[in-house]
Amino acid sequence: TMKRRVLFIVMAMFLLSGFSKMAAQTTADDLKGVWQMCFYMSSDPNLPGDLKPSNSFKILSDDGKFTNMTVIPNKGAIIIGSGTYKLTAPNAFTEHVEKNLHLPQLVGVDNVLEFEMKGDGVMMVKFFVKKDAEGNEINSWYYETWKKVLMPAVYPKDLVR
């Protein structure tokens, strides 16, 4: 009947619109900004717990440059890595590392970072490191959790500058 056809078409359109949203690709604009490294903390070994911020930040600039920095409590901030980056796949960006204090073996390397956007501004990242700083083969995956830093609507009353 006509009602069934209309209902079928409406349902098909609803499903297709849902799938198109699920397939939405990350763009280079989605990566740009300031990201704070986070970690999960829990008192229960069977649960990941709550996402907690760390003192490390990644800045992915509009001009294709990245800067990694860490805040040392009561001392100030230092830059620990820098270079350029480019979105190279729907779920990966490549950092060309120019300087890196933490992982000096990556200097001069194109480091591919696979990522997954988890919602609520959280990005899970993993990358492979073949050798340690001394040149020994470690063939290890590094996993990191980053949360995008956003500007609040109003100035926080409890902010200490």
Side-chain angles (χ1 to χ4, degrees):
T1 69
M2 185 63 141
K3 283 184 181 181
R4 283 188 182 187
R5 280 189 205 159
V6 171
L7 181 61
F8 176 78
I9 292 171
V10 169
M11 288 177 64
M13 290 173 54
F14 178 74
L15 286 172
L16 289 174
S17 72
F19 286 128
S20 70
K21 288 177 187 169
M22 286 173 39
Q25 304 257 337
T26 300
T27 67
D29 284 339
D30 296 325
L31 293 175
K32 292 176 189 173
V34 179
W35 296 85
Q36 184 169 21
M37 184 181 275
C38 297
F39 57 93
Y40 287 93
M41 190 169 88
S42 176
S43 58
D44 183 339
N46 299 315
L47 297 173
D50 298 320
L51 194 62
K52 302 290 184 182
S54 77
N55 293 329
S56 295
F57 295 86
K58 178 183 288 290
I59 302 166
L60 298 175
S61 300
D62 291 346
D63 61 0
K65 295 188 183 295
F66 80 88
T67 303
N68 293 339
M69 60 178 281
T70 297
V71 177
I72 303 169
N74 302 316
K75 294 200 176 191
I78 61 168
I79 294 173
I80 60 171
S82 62
T84 59
Y85 78 97
K86 183 185 338 181
L87 184 66
T88 49
N91 68 331
F93 62 99
T94 300
E95 291 181 342
H96 179 74
V97 182
E98 295 170 3
K99 297 178 184 177
N100 194 313
L101 298 178
H102 174 59
L103 298 168
Q105 68 271 32
L106 296 181
V107 172
V109 171
D110 286 337
N111 190 33
V112 178
L113 293 90
E114 297 176 28
F115 67 88
E116 183 179 350
M117 297 299 190
K118 292 293 199 177
D120 199 28
V122 175
M123 175 173 63
M124 306 298 284
V125 173
K126 73 176 184 176
F127 59 94
F128 187 77
V129 176
K130 186 173 174 83
K131 296 183 179 183
D132 67 13
E134 287 77 42
N136 303 307
E137 285 212 18
I138 57 170
N139 295 319
S140 297
W141 285 94
Y142 284 66
Y143 289 79
E144 299 174 341
T145 302
W146 296 91
K147 184 163 175 71
K148 199 163 207 179
V149 178
L150 302 174
M151 181 182 288
V154 296
Y155 191 84
K157 292 179 181 176
D158 58 348
L159 183 68
V160 177
R161 290 184 55 183

